């Protein structure tokens, strides 16, 4: 877990890259009818737009809220760290998924139109299972491992 502002920024950058890139790939695959090699390249077109949005949302809004919720429910001194990690991750998914789905709806799915709310809700509903799976079983463990290797002490 990050212990300084610099570490928090690096951790957030790593997590944003791993999560946003994967979710962009997932959404492109949904839109094009399946996963192909070209999806991996197409995702790099959206990444420079979506990654900064995700960083700002996570670092300044969602992260602090997720931690506040977590530490209002768990005492860090006596709680198994796994429960702290899972709680922060789940709270982050719970908040980030609709916010990033809204951003994608506005920027890539027709923007402000009469069906915008329906498109946003559908996008959010389709993204929640993947975001949850990816965060809990891949991105979270990967980023924490990389982060732990960088900051061994």
């Amino acid at each position: 877990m990050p212990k300084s502002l610099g570490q928090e920024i690096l951790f957030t950058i790593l997590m944003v890259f791993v999560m946003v890139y994967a979710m962009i790939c997932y959404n492109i695959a949904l839109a094009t009818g399946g996963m192909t090699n070209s999806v991996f390249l197409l995702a790099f077109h959206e990444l420079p737009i979506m990654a900064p949005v995700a960083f700002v949302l996570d670092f300044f809004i969602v992260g602090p809220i997720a931690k506040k919720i977590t530490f209002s429910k768990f005492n860090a001194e006596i709680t198994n760290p796994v429960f702290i990690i899972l709680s922060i991750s789940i709270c982050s998914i719970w908040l980030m998924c609709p916010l990033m789905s809204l951003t994608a709806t506005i920027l890539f799915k027709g923007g402000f139109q009469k069906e915008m709310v329906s498109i946003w809700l559908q996008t959010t509903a389709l993204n929640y299972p993947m975001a949850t799976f990816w965060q809990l079983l891949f991105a979270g463990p990967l980023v924490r491992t990389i982060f732990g290797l960088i900051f061994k002490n």
Side-chain angles (χ1 to χ4, degrees):
M1 296 295 286
K3 294 180 177 21
S4 69
L5 178 61
Q7 288 182 5
E8 186 74 34
I9 291 169
L10 178 61
F11 184 86
T12 304
I13 289 169
L14 291 170
M15 189 63 75
V16 161
F17 176 79
V18 175
M19 281 301 297
V20 171
Y21 181 72
M23 292 306 296
I24 292 170
C25 288
Y26 174 69
N27 277 278
I28 291 171
L30 286 177
T32 60
M35 194 68 177
T36 62
N37 290 338
S38 65
V39 167
F40 296 111
L41 291 175
L42 291 171
F44 283 111
H45 294 285
E46 292 181 25
L47 189 63
I49 299 164
M50 297 300 280
V53 172
F55 179 86
V56 168
L57 287 172
D58 188 52
F59 193 79
F60 294 106
I61 300 168
V62 172
I65 292 171
K67 290 173 189 163
K68 185 175 182 177
I69 291 169
T70 295
F71 294 117
S72 74
K73 305 293 179 199
F74 297 106
N75 180 342
E77 306 266 329
I78 60 173
T79 303
N80 184 327
V82 170
F83 293 117
I84 302 291
I85 291 167
L86 286 173
S87 179
I88 291 171
S89 296
I90 289 167
C91 289
S92 294
I93 296 161
W94 172 58
L95 297 166
M96 284 296 283
C97 190
L99 292 171
M100 291 303 292
S101 294
L102 178 62
T103 303
T105 298
I106 292 168
L107 296 176
F108 304 110
K109 295 187 174 194
F112 298 98
Q113 56 166 304
K114 71 176 188 171
E115 297 295 328
M116 182 181 141
V117 173
S118 299
I119 294 167
W120 170 54
L121 291 173
Q122 179 179 359
T123 301
T124 301
L126 291 171
N127 283 337
Y128 260 125
M130 181 60 178
T132 303
F133 170 81
W134 192 253
Q135 171 55 232
L136 296 178
L137 300 178
F138 187 83
L142 175 67
V143 169
R144 282 189 294 280
T145 299
I146 292 169
F147 190 80
L149 291 172
I150 294 170
F151 298 101
K152 287 186 181 182
N153 298 330

